[in-house]
Amino acid sequence: MSTGSRAAARGHSEARVLMSEQMTGAQSLIKSLEAAGVDTVFGIPGGAILPAYDPLLDSRKIRHVLVRHEQGAGHAAEGYALATGRPGVCMATSGPGATNLVTPIADAYMDSVPMVAVTGQVPASAIGTDAFQEADIRGITLPITKHNYLVTDPAEIPRTIAEAFHIASTGRPGPVLVDVSKDAMQSMTTFTWPGSVDLPGYRPVTRPHAKQVREAARLISESSRPVLYVGGGVLRARAAKELRVLAEMTGIPVVTTLMARGAFPDSHPLHLGMPGMHGTVAAVGALQKSDLLICLGARFDDRVTGKLSTFAPRAKVVHADIDPAEISKNRVADVPIVGDCREVIADLVVALQAEAAAGRKGDYAGWWRLLEEWRSRYPLGYDKPDDGSLSPQHVIEKIGQAGGPEALYVAGVGQHQMWAAHFISYENPGTFLNSGGAGTMGFSVPAAMGAKVAQPDATVWAIDGDGCFQMTNQELATCALENIPIKVAVINNSSLGMIRQWQTLFYDGRYSNSDLHSTRIPDFAKLAEAYGCVGLRCERPEDVDDVLAKAMSVNDVPVVVDFVVHRDAMVWPMVAAGTSNDDIKIARDLAPAWDNDDL
Ligand SMILES: Cc1ncc(C[n+]2csc(CCOP(=O)(O)OP(=O)(O)O)c2C)c(N)n1
């Protein structure tokens, strides 16, 4: 026997020994996570999951980040997933630990974020008895997970974990929950990692149907007012390059939804910005007056369509999505295409080349004249307060300039989120992370933490509201202790600003319970210091540059800047909820003039 084949034989027998090695279910769980390629788990231990934490201590491959609240673990897993494209992993105990994960799981489900949540469950014999810390987390998360499991047999652990990662990361990504009973973790078993995953009934279609793609290409070359309506699916499919090729080849205008910001460079002349409730006039108008929507990985969300029956009334629809359930859900598609956006776009490019070779090419010159008019007449902008106080939009614009196009920006939910979507120029895919579908306050700090763990060399700015920040800022302790130096800008308008805006506009200025008094309590700079971070405050426009330079220079600990801003700033443009996009306002009582409406 040659040396090589002896070594191979030895390796083979070692592998057999490993496979038949006796271990606890908990050891098998950790080994399974390692085998799935996990390098980071965000979590908090508790009774039912405690068996898993013991072997976790010995893992050489997995870093466990001890968070301060399970919601933080879940959003951190999301941030990690968004920054890597791989499933983020969070871990919690049974009952309240597991239910604290519900919000981030729902968030991941709404925004198609790949995530695996591992929870401990009470022993199998106690399930259904209202045992201490028992919650039916499988039942609770049934409608908000792509799939979920309860494992009571330790032999099932490796296969279940392998399946969970496969399901979370293939097709339309999403969260998968694996609930493991404590006795399954404590009993002895053997570990065998499955070579492949076989799930009859789960075969996501990624290759688009050629006939549909040809049909889409035909509609595109026949149209005169097409729009590429780009959603988060393009980012999930990592299709930004392909999108650029398609846009540049055809000259079709692009709009990127809140979930797709960064999928197409903001500086690109074909880009009209974000559509929807707070979209630019040009983007909203383009969709509204279009004769062909080429919807790529977007889902005709109500925040984009406004009153659905009045949305883009003259447009035909090409709708490409990896999830067939999205197609014709809200708006009937004339050409449905099921497939991965990267493959769809690549095939569309080829089909359009064939159209062009046959002499069929769309002429969009007239369309562009109109769009350019809207774009130049109604650019994004904001008024600076005349009392010398800070304008939130100005602060956010400056943060974007300080961080630059390579930094990651992670927003909370509210006015600051919309301004972060508008006033930072996103040039690269994956640089704007936020909670779009669920609109989860508290997302920003922990998601930024997860993103920074995933990309330690990147500058990661959390742009948060004072309301959102007070929901999950405890993770600053995690960041300080675990050496995760994120930067946090609290856009402190002393209010639940988006609520205040709606109360101004729709409730006669009756500010019921939206005043947070957070210029007094708490003192965010001191709070940051208490957490072992650098705490800064900025209250005057003339100090913004210096404070940001200071924040940018601190790279060994987290930094929090309390930007005390004017509280009456409003997000414009705006389409009031439930109304038509035609009624978009660019300021209070000020609507754009839709000339050439007959086009
Ligand atoms: C968990 C959660 N609770 C409530 C809301 C409703 N809500 C949406 S925006 C908002 C105000 C956010 O205030 P803040 O964080 O200060 O941001 P701002 O709007 O002032 O920028 C609220 C309460 C929500 N989206 N999420």
mmCIF file of all heavy atoms in Angstrom, residues 103 413-417 419 438-442 464-469 471 491 493 495-499 516, ligand 1:
data_model
loop_
_atom_site.group_PDB
_atom_site.id
_atom_site.type_symbol
_atom_site.label_atom_id
_atom_site.label_comp_id
_atom_site.label_asym_id
_atom_site.label_seq_id
_atom_site.Cartn_x
_atom_site.Cartn_y
_atom_site.Cartn_z
ATOM 1 N N THR A 103 -39.923 38.678 17.417
ATOM 2 C CA THR A 103 -39.873 39.895 16.590
ATOM 3 C C THR A 103 -38.789 39.802 15.505
ATOM 4 O O THR A 103 -39.089 40.025 14.330
ATOM 5 C CB THR A 103 -39.704 41.139 17.479
ATOM 6 O OG1 THR A 103 -40.884 41.257 18.283
ATOM 7 C CG2 THR A 103 -39.527 42.403 16.668
ATOM 8 N N VAL A 413 -36.223 52.559 12.518
ATOM 9 C CA VAL A 413 -37.489 52.744 11.796
ATOM 10 C C VAL A 413 -38.133 54.068 12.195
ATOM 11 O O VAL A 413 -38.258 54.371 13.384
ATOM 12 C CB VAL A 413 -38.443 51.564 12.079
ATOM 13 C CG1 VAL A 413 -39.850 51.855 11.568
ATOM 14 C CG2 VAL A 413 -37.891 50.307 11.424
ATOM 15 N N GLY A 414 -38.498 54.830 11.209
ATOM 16 C CA GLY A 414 -39.111 56.123 11.471
ATOM 17 C C GLY A 414 -38.618 57.143 10.466
ATOM 18 O O GLY A 414 -38.146 56.788 9.375
ATOM 19 N N GLN A 415 -38.695 58.408 10.840
ATOM 20 C CA GLN A 415 -38.256 59.462 9.937
ATOM 21 C C GLN A 415 -36.784 59.301 9.549
ATOM 22 O O GLN A 415 -36.409 59.439 8.382
ATOM 23 C CB GLN A 415 -38.439 60.827 10.608
ATOM 24 C CG GLN A 415 -39.879 61.230 10.825
ATOM 25 C CD GLN A 415 -39.956 62.612 11.464
ATOM 26 O OE1 GLN A 415 -39.305 62.868 12.479
ATOM 27 N NE2 GLN A 415 -40.751 63.494 10.885
ATOM 28 N N HIS A 416 -35.953 59.022 10.547
ATOM 29 C CA HIS A 416 -34.507 58.916 10.278
ATOM 30 C C HIS A 416 -34.210 57.826 9.250
ATOM 31 O O HIS A 416 -33.267 57.922 8.472
ATOM 32 C CB HIS A 416 -33.741 58.650 11.588
ATOM 33 C CG HIS A 416 -34.117 57.346 12.224
ATOM 34 N ND1 HIS A 416 -35.272 57.178 12.951
ATOM 35 C CD2 HIS A 416 -33.525 56.137 12.192
ATOM 36 C CE1 HIS A 416 -35.359 55.930 13.360
ATOM 37 N NE2 HIS A 416 -34.311 55.268 12.906
ATOM 38 N N GLN A 417 -35.034 56.781 9.246
ATOM 39 C CA GLN A 417 -34.864 55.682 8.280
ATOM 40 C C GLN A 417 -35.096 56.197 6.855
ATOM 41 O O GLN A 417 -34.327 55.897 5.930
ATOM 42 C CB GLN A 417 -35.875 54.583 8.621
ATOM 43 C CG GLN A 417 -35.936 53.421 7.657
ATOM 44 C CD GLN A 417 -37.124 52.494 7.970
ATOM 45 O OE1 GLN A 417 -38.130 52.936 8.548
ATOM 46 N NE2 GLN A 417 -37.000 51.228 7.631
ATOM 47 N N TRP A 419 -34.907 59.339 5.869
ATOM 48 C CA TRP A 419 -33.836 60.276 5.506
ATOM 49 C C TRP A 419 -32.546 59.520 5.201
ATOM 50 O O TRP A 419 -31.796 59.909 4.303
ATOM 51 C CB TRP A 419 -33.619 61.300 6.635
ATOM 52 C CG TRP A 419 -34.765 62.255 6.789
ATOM 53 C CD1 TRP A 419 -35.487 62.824 5.777
ATOM 54 C CD2 TRP A 419 -35.339 62.743 8.015
ATOM 55 N NE1 TRP A 419 -36.462 63.640 6.299
ATOM 56 C CE2 TRP A 419 -36.397 63.617 7.660
ATOM 57 C CE3 TRP A 419 -35.062 62.547 9.375
ATOM 58 C CZ2 TRP A 419 -37.175 64.286 8.616
ATOM 59 C CZ3 TRP A 419 -35.828 63.213 10.316
ATOM 60 C CH2 TRP A 419 -36.867 64.067 9.945
ATOM 61 N N ALA A 438 -41.352 44.654 8.143
ATOM 62 C CA ALA A 438 -41.966 44.700 9.470
ATOM 63 C C ALA A 438 -41.851 46.095 10.074
ATOM 64 O O ALA A 438 -42.665 46.481 10.911
ATOM 65 C CB ALA A 438 -41.302 43.672 10.393
ATOM 66 N N GLY A 439 -40.857 46.838 9.690
ATOM 67 C CA GLY A 439 -40.659 48.167 10.278
ATOM 68 C C GLY A 439 -40.418 48.061 11.773
ATOM 69 O O GLY A 439 -41.136 48.634 12.582
ATOM 70 N N THR A 440 -39.374 47.327 12.115
ATOM 71 C CA THR A 440 -39.143 46.997 13.521
ATOM 72 C C THR A 440 -38.250 48.015 14.211
ATOM 73 O O THR A 440 -37.036 48.053 13.979
ATOM 74 C CB THR A 440 -38.481 45.601 13.625
ATOM 75 O OG1 THR A 440 -39.301 44.661 12.924
ATOM 76 C CG2 THR A 440 -38.323 45.187 15.063
ATOM 77 N N MET A 441 -38.836 48.839 15.067
ATOM 78 C CA MET A 441 -38.009 49.718 15.901
ATOM 79 C C MET A 441 -37.089 48.841 16.751
ATOM 80 O O MET A 441 -37.496 47.784 17.234
ATOM 81 C CB MET A 441 -38.890 50.560 16.823
ATOM 82 C CG MET A 441 -39.676 51.648 16.129
ATOM 83 S SD MET A 441 -40.809 52.465 17.266
ATOM 84 C CE MET A 441 -39.677 53.435 18.269
ATOM 85 N N GLY A 442 -35.857 49.267 16.917
ATOM 86 C CA GLY A 442 -34.902 48.481 17.699
ATOM 87 C C GLY A 442 -33.996 47.639 16.821
ATOM 88 O O GLY A 442 -33.093 46.966 17.312
ATOM 89 N N ASP A 464 -29.985 55.812 14.084
ATOM 90 C CA ASP A 464 -31.133 55.406 14.878
ATOM 91 C C ASP A 464 -31.935 56.617 15.336
ATOM 92 O O ASP A 464 -31.412 57.727 15.422
ATOM 93 C CB ASP A 464 -30.639 54.623 16.106
ATOM 94 C CG ASP A 464 -31.537 53.459 16.428
ATOM 95 O OD1 ASP A 464 -32.569 53.288 15.751
ATOM 96 O OD2 ASP A 464 -31.208 52.700 17.362
ATOM 97 N N GLY A 465 -33.203 56.381 15.639
ATOM 98 C CA GLY A 465 -34.024 57.427 16.249
ATOM 99 C C GLY A 465 -33.901 57.315 17.760
ATOM 100 O O GLY A 465 -33.518 56.262 18.287
ATOM 101 N N ASP A 466 -34.245 58.391 18.457
ATOM 102 C CA ASP A 466 -34.149 58.316 19.921
ATOM 103 C C ASP A 466 -35.172 57.334 20.484
ATOM 104 O O ASP A 466 -34.937 56.718 21.530
ATOM 105 C CB ASP A 466 -34.284 59.699 20.573
ATOM 106 C CG ASP A 466 -35.433 60.528 20.022
ATOM 107 O OD1 ASP A 466 -35.625 60.540 18.785
ATOM 108 O OD2 ASP A 466 -36.134 61.175 20.818
ATOM 109 N N GLY A 467 -36.280 57.139 19.763
ATOM 110 C CA GLY A 467 -37.250 56.144 20.206
ATOM 111 C C GLY A 467 -36.725 54.729 19.983
ATOM 112 O O GLY A 467 -36.673 53.902 20.902
ATOM 113 N N CYS A 468 -36.289 54.454 18.773
ATOM 114 C CA CYS A 468 -35.757 53.123 18.441
ATOM 115 C C CYS A 468 -34.578 52.756 19.353
ATOM 116 O O CYS A 468 -34.472 51.633 19.851
ATOM 117 C CB CYS A 468 -35.255 53.099 17.002
ATOM 118 S SG CYS A 468 -36.541 53.272 15.769
ATOM 119 N N PHE A 469 -33.693 53.740 19.535
ATOM 120 C CA PHE A 469 -32.469 53.483 20.292
ATOM 121 C C PHE A 469 -32.798 52.998 21.705
ATOM 122 O O PHE A 469 -32.095 52.157 22.264
ATOM 123 C CB PHE A 469 -31.642 54.765 20.333
ATOM 124 C CG PHE A 469 -30.301 54.633 21.002
ATOM 125 C CD1 PHE A 469 -29.316 53.818 20.466
ATOM 126 C CD2 PHE A 469 -30.006 55.357 22.160
ATOM 127 C CE1 PHE A 469 -28.068 53.708 21.080
ATOM 128 C CE2 PHE A 469 -28.769 55.256 22.773
ATOM 129 C CZ PHE A 469 -27.797 54.427 22.232
ATOM 130 N N MET A 471 -35.046 51.108 22.555
ATOM 131 C CA MET A 471 -35.580 49.746 22.569
ATOM 132 C C MET A 471 -34.481 48.683 22.658
ATOM 133 O O MET A 471 -34.706 47.615 23.206
ATOM 134 C CB MET A 471 -36.443 49.502 21.329
ATOM 135 C CG MET A 471 -37.735 50.295 21.362
ATOM 136 S SD MET A 471 -38.950 49.632 20.228
ATOM 137 C CE MET A 471 -40.348 50.717 20.561
ATOM 138 N N ILE A 491 -30.441 60.174 16.093
ATOM 139 C CA ILE A 491 -31.053 61.384 15.533
ATOM 140 C C ILE A 491 -32.160 61.765 16.520
ATOM 141 O O ILE A 491 -33.298 61.293 16.428
ATOM 142 C CB ILE A 491 -31.601 61.122 14.104
ATOM 143 C CG1 ILE A 491 -30.517 60.476 13.212
ATOM 144 C CG2 ILE A 491 -32.130 62.410 13.479
ATOM 145 C CD1 ILE A 491 -29.249 61.297 13.025
ATOM 146 N N ASN A 493 -34.732 63.751 18.066
ATOM 147 C CA ASN A 493 -35.700 64.841 17.920
ATOM 148 C C ASN A 493 -36.660 64.856 19.097
ATOM 149 O O ASN A 493 -37.724 65.467 19.043
ATOM 150 C CB ASN A 493 -36.461 64.734 16.592
ATOM 151 C CG ASN A 493 -37.086 63.369 16.414
ATOM 152 O OD1 ASN A 493 -37.118 62.568 17.351
ATOM 153 N ND2 ASN A 493 -37.600 63.092 15.234
ATOM 154 N N SER A 495 -38.689 62.950 20.101
ATOM 155 C CA SER A 495 -40.045 62.452 19.847
ATOM 156 C C SER A 495 -40.009 61.148 19.072
ATOM 157 O O SER A 495 -39.000 60.815 18.444
ATOM 158 C CB SER A 495 -40.880 63.395 18.973
ATOM 159 O OG SER A 495 -40.312 64.613 18.778
ATOM 160 N N LEU A 496 -41.150 60.513 19.091
ATOM 161 C CA LEU A 496 -41.397 59.440 18.130
ATOM 162 C C LEU A 496 -41.758 60.184 16.845
ATOM 163 O O LEU A 496 -42.922 60.456 16.550
ATOM 164 C CB LEU A 496 -42.543 58.551 18.608
ATOM 165 C CG LEU A 496 -42.277 57.825 19.935
ATOM 166 C CD1 LEU A 496 -43.554 57.220 20.500
ATOM 167 C CD2 LEU A 496 -41.213 56.736 19.747
ATOM 168 N N GLY A 497 -40.706 60.568 16.114
ATOM 169 C CA GLY A 497 -40.860 61.578 15.067
ATOM 170 C C GLY A 497 -41.875 61.227 13.991
ATOM 171 O O GLY A 497 -42.660 62.071 13.563
ATOM 172 N N MET A 498 -41.852 59.977 13.539
ATOM 173 C CA MET A 498 -42.776 59.619 12.461
ATOM 174 C C MET A 498 -44.220 59.677 12.966
ATOM 175 O O MET A 498 -45.136 60.050 12.223
ATOM 176 C CB MET A 498 -42.433 58.230 11.911
ATOM 177 C CG MET A 498 -43.170 57.876 10.652
ATOM 178 S SD MET A 498 -42.892 59.074 9.333
ATOM 179 C CE MET A 498 -41.669 58.258 8.331
ATOM 180 N N ILE A 499 -44.392 59.335 14.229
ATOM 181 C CA ILE A 499 -45.732 59.420 14.830
ATOM 182 C C ILE A 499 -46.136 60.889 14.910
ATOM 183 O O ILE A 499 -47.250 61.277 14.540
ATOM 184 C CB ILE A 499 -45.715 58.793 16.248
ATOM 185 C CG1 ILE A 499 -45.251 57.336 16.181
ATOM 186 C CG2 ILE A 499 -47.065 58.939 16.930
ATOM 187 C CD1 ILE A 499 -46.119 56.421 15.379
ATOM 188 N N LEU A 516 -40.990 62.180 23.709
ATOM 189 C CA LEU A 516 -40.137 61.302 24.523
ATOM 190 C C LEU A 516 -39.302 62.076 25.551
ATOM 191 O O LEU A 516 -38.668 61.455 26.403
ATOM 192 C CB LEU A 516 -39.179 60.508 23.618
ATOM 193 C CG LEU A 516 -39.808 59.459 22.705
ATOM 194 C CD1 LEU A 516 -38.764 58.919 21.748
ATOM 195 C CD2 LEU A 516 -40.402 58.319 23.523
HETATM 196 C C1 LIG B 1 -41.572 47.934 17.648
HETATM 197 C C2 LIG B 1 -42.333 49.063 17.041
HETATM 198 N N1 LIG B 1 -43.229 49.745 17.795
HETATM 199 C C3 LIG B 1 -43.904 50.790 17.259
HETATM 200 C C4 LIG B 1 -43.706 51.153 15.961
HETATM 201 C C5 LIG B 1 -44.489 52.330 15.360
HETATM 202 N N2 LIG B 1 -43.578 53.404 14.999
HETATM 203 C C6 LIG B 1 -43.124 53.597 13.740
HETATM 204 S S1 LIG B 1 -42.057 54.852 13.604
HETATM 205 C C7 LIG B 1 -42.198 55.209 15.235
HETATM 206 C C8 LIG B 1 -41.419 56.350 15.833
HETATM 207 C C9 LIG B 1 -39.955 56.115 15.806
HETATM 208 O O1 LIG B 1 -39.367 57.115 16.599
HETATM 209 P P1 LIG B 1 -37.811 57.358 16.586
HETATM 210 O O2 LIG B 1 -37.071 56.112 16.796
HETATM 211 O O3 LIG B 1 -37.514 58.442 17.563
HETATM 212 O O4 LIG B 1 -37.532 57.813 15.094
HETATM 213 P P2 LIG B 1 -37.966 59.130 14.303
HETATM 214 O O5 LIG B 1 -39.243 58.831 13.592
HETATM 215 O O6 LIG B 1 -38.113 60.225 15.315
HETATM 216 O O7 LIG B 1 -36.849 59.371 13.364
HETATM 217 C C10 LIG B 1 -43.087 54.339 15.866
HETATM 218 C C11 LIG B 1 -43.457 54.404 17.305
HETATM 219 C C12 LIG B 1 -42.790 50.382 15.214
HETATM 220 N N3 LIG B 1 -42.555 50.620 13.928
HETATM 221 N N4 LIG B 1 -42.100 49.379 15.786
#
